[in-house]
């Protein structure tokens, strides 16, 4: 499964090598078990403002900036975008409610994934649509030594949120690596779309209520049911990335030799 996924990625992106040097982590639903609180607070605030939604919408919207989510709800409900004042007011209310509900629990298995990633000497970065400093500031406490603010991409850094590729392309710049030298770990359809559009190998971990098909159709190269499963497979992913690169290089050498011999 892993070998085929890497081969498909190389074919799709027209890359000749896959040599991971950095892992770009989404935050909500990947590093923290927080999406249920985001969905609850978004839905309650939306209902308070007569905005049409159901809780499941926010798993589909995940990865958008807060202002983009509010615009989506206003278009759906009132046929217009929200004013700057409306966005700031609604987002402040949502953030306050989220802070009230959120218990700050790390995602089960995330620490094990990070241990595997760090064990291979890979950089670790966060790329999130969140702009809530209360959650961002928890990273050093939850995962000491894993992340630094200079290598984080948040809602404050981007012009376009996910599913636009900008957040993950910015992550590549901060890591100083190329598209074929990174892996994304995501749980949201829009995040997966962003990673795929950026041309980066994207692993989806379905920690929410959405069907697996939603994530695979969004462009996930690999899919896992939880972070523990990903941690157990990490060695295989690294081994297969090396093997795929070696095999591709050998195949290219064979093709070059064939051309030379048949000139």
């Amino acid at each position: 499964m892993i070998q085929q996924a890497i081969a498909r990625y190389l074919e799709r992106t027209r890359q000749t090598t896959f040599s991971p040097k950095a892992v770009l982590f989404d935050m909500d639903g990947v590093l923290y078990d927080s999406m249920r609180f985001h969905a609850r607070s978004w839905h309650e605030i939306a209902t308070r403002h007569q905005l049409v939604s159901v809780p499941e919408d926010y798993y589909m919207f995940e990865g958008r900036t807060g202002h983009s989510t509010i615009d989506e709800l206003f278009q759906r409900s009132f046929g217009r975008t929200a004013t700057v004042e409306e966005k700031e007011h609604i987002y402040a209310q949502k953030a306050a409610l989220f802070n009230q509900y959120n218990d700050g629990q790390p995602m089960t298995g995330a620490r094990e994934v990070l241990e595997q990633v760090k064990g291979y000497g890979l950089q670790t970065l966060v790329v999130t649509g969140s702009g809530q400093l209360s959650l961002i500031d928890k990273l050093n406490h939850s995962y000491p030594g894993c992340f630094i603010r200079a290598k984080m991409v948040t809602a404050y850094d981007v012009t376009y949120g996910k599913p636009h590729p900008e957040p993950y392309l910015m992550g590549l710049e901060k890591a100083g690596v190329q598209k074929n030298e990174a892996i994304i770990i995501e749980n949201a359809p829009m995040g997966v779309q962003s990673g795929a559009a950026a041309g980066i190998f994207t692993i989806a971990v379905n920690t929410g209520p959405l069907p697996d098909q939603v994530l695979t159709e969004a462009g996930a190269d690999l899919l896992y049911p939880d972070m523990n499963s990903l941690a157990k497979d990490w060695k295989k992913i690294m081994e297969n990335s090396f093997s795929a690169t070696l095999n591709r290089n050998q195949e290219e050498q064979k093709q070059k030799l064939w051309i030379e011999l048949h000139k």
Side-chain angles (χ1 to χ4, degrees), residues 135-165:
L135 190 55
I136 294 170
D137 289 342
K138 291 180 182 291
L139 282 166
N140 284 336
H141 175 72
S142 302
Y143 306 105
C146 290
F147 302 103
I148 59 173
R149 190 171 291 278
K151 292 189 176 183
M152 294 174 61
V153 179
T154 73
Y156 298 115
D157 301 310
V158 300
T159 301
Y160 305 102
K162 304 169 187 177
H164 194 279

Side-chain angles (χ1 to χ4, degrees), residues 106-177:
M107 179 62 70
T108 301
R111 187 170 286 105
E112 288 74 13
V113 171
L114 279 162
E115 287 173 357
Q116 290 285 331
V117 170
K118 299 293 280 187
Y120 279 91
L122 308 181
Q123 294 185 62
T124 50
L125 295 86
V126 168
V127 178
T128 176
S130 177
Q132 297 185 196
L133 295 175
S134 62
L135 190 55
I136 294 170
D137 289 342
K138 291 180 182 291
L139 282 166
N140 284 336
H141 175 72
S142 302
Y143 306 105
C146 290
F147 302 103
I148 59 173
R149 190 171 291 278
K151 292 189 176 183
M152 294 174 61
V153 179
T154 73
Y156 298 115
D157 301 310
V158 300
T159 301
Y160 305 102
K162 304 169 187 177
H164 194 279
E166 182 192 20
Y168 281 114
L169 292 176
M170 188 175 291
L172 291 180
E173 290 181 12
K174 292 198 173 205
V177 300

Side-chain angles (χ1 to χ4, degrees), residues 29-40:
V30 171
L31 296 175
Y32 289 99
D33 188 14
S34 48
M35 268 310 298
R36 53 204 167 109
F37 303 120
H38 278 294
R40 179 180 175 186

Side-chain angles (χ1 to χ4, degrees), residues 25 50 75 89 143 202:
F25 290 83
Q50 291 79 51
Q75 286 286 2
H89 178 62
Y143 306 105
T202 302

Side-chain angles (χ1 to χ4, degrees), residues 57-65 68-69 72 161-165 167-168 186-197 210 214-215 218:
D57 284 335
Y58 302 103
Y59 290 91
M60 294 297 296
F61 293 162
E62 184 188 353
R64 287 178 178 267
T65 62
S68 174
T69 295
E72 175 71 23
K162 304 169 187 177
H164 194 279
Y168 281 114
E186 264 285 355
N187 72 301
M190 288 192 174
V192 171
Q193 289 175 27
S194 176
L210 300 177
V214 174
L215 294 167

Side-chain angles (χ1 to χ4, degrees), residues 24 37 40 55 59 61 83-84 88 90 153 168 235 245 258:
L24 313 180
F37 303 120
R40 179 180 175 186
Y59 290 91
F61 293 162
T83 66
V84 172
E88 291 178 350
I90 292 171
V153 179
Y168 281 114
K235 181 179 180 181
T245 296
W258 189 91

